[in-house]
Amino acid sequence: MSLLRQPILLLARSQGVKKLVSTMPVSSGIVTSHVPGETTESAVGATRTLEADGLHVTLDYLGEDTTDAAQAEATVRAYKELLAELASQGLAPHAEVSVKLSAIGQSLPDSGHKVALENARDICRAARNAGTTVTLDMEDHTTTDSTLSILRELRKDFPETGAVLQAMLHRTEADCRALAYEGSRVRLCKGAYMEPADVAFQERVEVDKSYVRCLKVLLGGQGYPMIATHDPRMVQIASSLASRFGRRPGTYEFQMLFGIRPEEQKRLAAAGETVRVYVPYGTEWYGYLMRRLAEKPQNLGFFVRSLISKK
């Protein structure tokens, strides 16, 4: 892993740095390269543009580690507003939503699990009424069991609900086997959190090997794999494995982040692949942005110049 990864992820937890960075306007260069805006209108506009390029979208209303019930309820309202707008503009067939459970109550003391489950049900219901789906984002390893438990409960009434698994965790290959059943939607990513060695692979090569093992499980299973990677080697390996397992385009999809390798996104879509772009929006973009910088530390210089230029 990059030597800068851990320091950047530690900065993500610094309230002092957060206070400074959060005074930057969302129009600042490094921010808009990863986040199209703060409002529902900006999210819908980005969705419309991406759809015109033949791409699908998943939208994330940014926020996490919410310990205030009112804020969790506000996040639910934001998702419902977004889903209603997507439906009204005919965009729902190609746009779903991604939800972090910690943003809708999972981190609340005592009642977090129950509150997050009920709030997630509310969003799932709104998504189904809009004609689309929900994927539960995965966060750090301490939330994995709770998230998968809530997923199981949701799938009783909303079996279309998607899951996310992170290849950097030791447990993930087994989780892939448990979720590779018919109708199960699973996004496989490498993982963007700073995790301890007892639960996660620390070297990039080991994470990559785990990712390939997990790909084999998901593409060889009966579910719908969502292959989240920008790594050209992993895209090539996934395509080869899809062919080996007799997977036709449309029985799996590639996923990439907004603003990262946009030409590759278009190339894959033009070649007949389903490509979904992860589009975050909202005012709470700080933690998301810092994780993206940790994944690609060469952006750090641009980020620092943006901070200096605002003074």
Side-chain angles (χ1 to χ4, degrees):
M1 296 292 188
S2 166
L3 293 176
L4 288 174
R5 177 179 169 83
Q6 285 197 348
I8 294 172
L9 288 174
L10 286 172
L11 281 178
R13 299 177 180 178
S14 167
Q15 291 303 308
V17 175
K18 179 178 181 180
K19 184 176 180 180
L20 172 64
V21 174
S22 296
T23 63
M24 295 172 63
V26 77
S27 59
S28 297
I30 192 65
V31 182
T32 52
S33 67
H34 293 85
V35 181
E38 297 183 338
T39 65
T40 296
E41 182 181 10
S42 63
V44 172
T47 300
R48 190 183 302 108
T49 299
L50 291 164
E51 187 196 37
D53 287 333
L55 301 165
H56 296 243
V57 174
T58 185
L59 292 140
D60 173 18
Y61 181 71
L62 292 169
E64 54 193 282
D65 299 328
T66 297
T67 55
D68 182 286
Q71 181 57 44
E73 291 170 6
T75 298
V76 174
R77 289 195 298 273
Y79 273 111
K80 292 168 75 172
E81 175 186 301
L82 172 66
L83 288 161
E85 193 63 23
L86 291 172
S88 71
Q89 297 201 27
L91 295 170
H94 293 94
E96 65 145 30
V97 296
S98 289
V99 177
K100 286 181 174 59
L101 291 176
S102 72
I104 58 171
Q106 189 181 37
S107 300
L108 292 175
D110 302 323
S111 61
H113 185 93
K114 180 180 179 182
V115 171
L117 175 58
E118 291 310 307
N119 282 337
R121 285 188 197 279
D122 204 6
I123 297 171
C124 286
R125 191 175 301 110
R128 179 178 285 178
N129 290 340
T132 188
T133 55
V134 173
T135 293
L136 299 184
D137 273 340
M138 190 61 76
E139 302 179 68
D140 72 81
H141 79 279
T142 64
T143 68
T144 302
D145 284 331
S146 172
T147 298
L148 292 178
S149 174
I150 288 174
L151 174 75
R152 288 191 292 271
E153 288 299 311
L154 287 173
R155 282 186 168 179
K156 292 176 182 177
D157 297 316
F158 305 97
E160 67 273 20
T161 304
V164 178
L165 297 174
Q166 300 176 102
M168 71 183 302
L169 298 182
H170 298 156
R171 62 176 289 169
T172 297
E173 186 176 353
D175 287 334
C176 284
R177 295 187 188 282
L179 289 172
Y181 54 82
E182 187 172 358
S184 175
R185 298 168 56 246
V186 180
R187 177 195 302 154
L188 179 67
C189 63
K190 290 186 179 181
Y193 293 86
M194 185 169 64
E195 303 283 17
D198 61 327
V199 300
F201 300 107
Q202 302 297 302
E203 300 299 324
R204 185 176 299 277
V205 65
E206 294 303 322
V207 176
D208 286 353
K209 288 178 180 178
S210 174
Y211 196 92
V212 173
R213 291 195 300 270
C214 293
L215 275 179
K216 290 178 179 178
V217 173
L218 293 174
L219 286 166
Q222 300 300 310
Y224 181 81
M226 302 181 285
I227 305 161
T229 183
H230 308 100
D231 185 337
R233 289 188 311 115
M234 290 302 158
V235 171
Q236 185 175 19
I237 289 169
S239 297
S240 296
L241 288 173
S243 178
R244 180 194 301 181
F245 288 112
R247 288 274 187 169
R248 302 182 310 278
T251 64
Y252 62 93
E253 67 183 45
F254 288 99
Q255 294 193 356
M256 296 186 184
L257 298 172
F258 178 80
I260 299 183
R261 303 195 74 201
E263 294 307 313
E264 175 66 359
Q265 296 170 13
K266 294 176 187 177
R267 184 194 71 79
L268 286 168
E273 300 285 5
T274 300
V275 181
R276 191 176 301 276
V277 182
Y278 188 101
V279 178
Y281 75 104
T283 59
E284 298 295 319
W285 43 261
Y286 174 76
Y288 175 86
L289 174 64
M290 296 303 281
R291 286 194 294 275
R292 300 293 78 77
L293 289 174
E295 291 169 354
K296 198 172 183 181
Q298 54 264 47
N299 282 339
L300 189 59
F302 182 33
F303 177 59
V304 171
R305 288 194 296 274
S306 295
L307 276 177
I308 294 172
S309 66
K310 82 180 188 68
K311 293 183 177 180

